[in-house]
């Protein structure tokens, strides 16, 4: 993460955007269940909002230093912070009622790794569970902001296609100043053709 990004992501201004604007609109009406997985929490802007809405929040962060800071902040709470790579989650199928990933997909260097994160989100969700996320859209300014850093914004139509192909239903991909999505894992696997 470059310096611009590190400063913004840990700022109170960014926390306010995520907690007062993005998450209430995106997830305020969703039933996130009891057990939620957050992918790529970074300094925890979304973690703070999510942990008040579920019984147990597991946060998987690939950066060991960021994970250690977050683990210290949430020690003794309902948040468990793990160091791990969301392309290969060390969790059984169907472990979570909900999965969230906020402002992290553009930090994943390759499209095929983004695909694996989405596939892992599907795998670890229980049938009937919900996957929710947001990210930034591509723009020249966004690229300049990320100079020297990983910057691989996901194209909204590609995201929609991937979520559908993985098997998610009731998929919404919304584009405004940012990208937001909600996708449900069906309660039953689709029946095969006769
Ligand atoms: C820009 S920060 C976003 C932090 C927070 N979710 C927010 O909305 O403010 C993206 C985070 O995703 C993490 N990340 C990137 N690739 C990851 C992966 N494969 N597995 C887990 N975390 C990852 C990065 O280390 C970084 O902390």
């Amino acid at each position: 993460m470059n310096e611009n990004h590190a400063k913004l992501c840990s700022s109170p201004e960014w926390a306010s955007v995520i907690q007062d604007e993005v998450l209430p609109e995106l997830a305020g009406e969703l039933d996130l269940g009891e057990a939620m997985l957050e992918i790529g929490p970074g300094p925890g802007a979304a973690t703070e909002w999510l942990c008040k809405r579920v019984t147990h929040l597991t946060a998987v962060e690939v950066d060991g230093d960021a994970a250690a800071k977050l683990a210290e902040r949430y020690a003794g709470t309902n948040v468990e912070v793990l160091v791990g790579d969301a392309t290969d989650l060390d969790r059984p199928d169907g472990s979570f009622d909900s999965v969230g990933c906020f402002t992290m997909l553009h930090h994943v260097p390759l499209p095929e790794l983004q695909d694996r994160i989405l596939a892992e989100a599907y795998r670890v969700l229980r049938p009937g569970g919900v996957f929710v996320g947001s990210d930034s859209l591509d723009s020249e300014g966004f690229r300049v902001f990320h100079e020297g850093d990983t910057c691989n914004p996901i194209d909204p139509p590609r995201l929609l296609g991937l979520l559908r192909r993985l098997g998610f239903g009731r998929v919404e991909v919304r584009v405004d100043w940012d990208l937001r999505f909600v996708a449900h894992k069906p309660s039953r696997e689709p029946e095969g053709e006769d």
Side-chain angles (χ1 to χ4, degrees), residues 63-91:
D63 179 320
D65 291 340
K69 276 191 199 148
L70 202 64
E72 193 180 333
R73 175 167 150 200
Y74 284 102
T77 71
N78 65 337
V79 181
E80 178 187 18
V81 182
L82 304 174
V83 183
D85 184 343
T87 62
D88 184 16
L89 289 167
D90 185 18
R91 278 293 188 270

Side-chain angles (χ1 to χ4, degrees), residues 145-161:
F145 185 81
H146 284 78
E147 211 167 324
D149 200 347
T150 304
C151 183
N152 188 24
I154 193 158
D155 185 42
R158 191 172 90 80
L159 176 64
L160 176 64

Side-chain angles (χ1 to χ4, degrees), residues 79-167:
V79 181
E80 178 187 18
V81 182
L82 304 174
V83 183
D85 184 343
T87 62
D88 184 16
L89 289 167
D90 185 18
R91 278 293 188 270
D93 298 358
S95 309
F96 296 98
D97 300 309
S98 54
V99 175
C101 78
F102 308 96
T103 335
M104 71 77 60
L105 284 171
H106 73 270
H107 270 279
V108 179
L110 297 171
E112 40 286 26
L113 296 178
Q114 293 175 331
D115 298 1
R116 275 170 48 186
I117 289 177
L118 300 180
E120 281 290 83
Y122 187 86
R123 183 184 68 76
V124 300
L125 265 180
R126 67 158 170 81
V130 63
F131 182 33
V132 57
S134 63
D135 209 335
S136 302
L137 293 166
D138 200 1
S139 72
E140 203 182 320
F142 189 63
R143 299 252 169 198
V144 169
F145 185 81
H146 284 78
E147 211 167 324
D149 200 347
T150 304
C151 183
N152 188 24
I154 193 158
D155 185 42
R158 191 172 90 80
L159 176 64
L160 176 64
L162 282 168
L163 292 169
R164 293 289 293 126
R165 274 197 297 284
L166 284 166

Side-chain angles (χ1 to χ4, degrees), residues 1 5 9 14 40-42 45 60-63 84-86 102-104 107:
M1 211 182 278
H5 219 284
C9 279
W14 180 248
V60 173
E61 170 56 59
V62 79
D63 179 320
D85 184 343
F102 308 96
T103 335
M104 71 77 60
H107 270 279

